[in-house]
Amino acid sequence: MKALQAYVDQENRWSAIFGGPKLDLRQASDRQLIASSIDAALSPENLTCDGELGRTEVDRRYRFLRRVAAQLILLDPSVKFYEFS
């Protein structure tokens, strides 16, 4: 679950900058918010930064996000994804 925790920590750091709430993997509602965040990050526009990223970086991000999503599903099979299947 290291990738999932690293992703949540990263999201929490960004959230702290903008004064948003802190996500907690122990909360079911937060787990769904994390799934939605992963979905958003997997959208082609976000994944490629509107085509600005090189193929190697896009592939690295894609593999990381897929690993995070898989770990989240192992933790909570009830979370819903739309970009990840």
Side-chain angles (χ1 to χ4, degrees):
M1 299 282 169
K2 287 183 181 182
L4 176 58
Q5 189 60 55
Y7 181 80
V8 170
D9 291 344
Q10 175 186 347
E11 289 296 305
N12 283 336
R13 283 191 299 274
W14 279 111
S15 185
I17 291 170
F18 297 105
K22 186 174 181 178
L23 298 171
D24 185 348
L25 285 170
R26 295 173 291 181
Q27 301 290 329
S29 59
D30 283 358
R31 289 192 298 269
Q32 186 57 55
L33 287 173
I34 294 164
S36 297
S37 176
I38 294 167
D39 263 343
L42 281 169
S43 76
E45 296 84 9
N46 291 331
L47 189 62
T48 65
C49 290
D50 291 327
E52 296 294 320
L53 293 180
R55 184 68 184 174
T56 302
E57 180 61 18
V58 171
D59 287 345
R60 186 193 66 76
R61 287 179 180 208
Y62 179 77
R63 285 190 311 274
F64 175 73
L65 290 167
R66 298 267 310 171
R67 188 169 50 250
V68 169
Q71 290 176 5
L72 183 57
I73 288 172
L74 284 175
L75 180 65
D76 184 353
S78 70
V79 296
K80 302 287 187 253
F81 285 96
Y82 300 98
E83 293 286 337
F84 176 78
S85 52

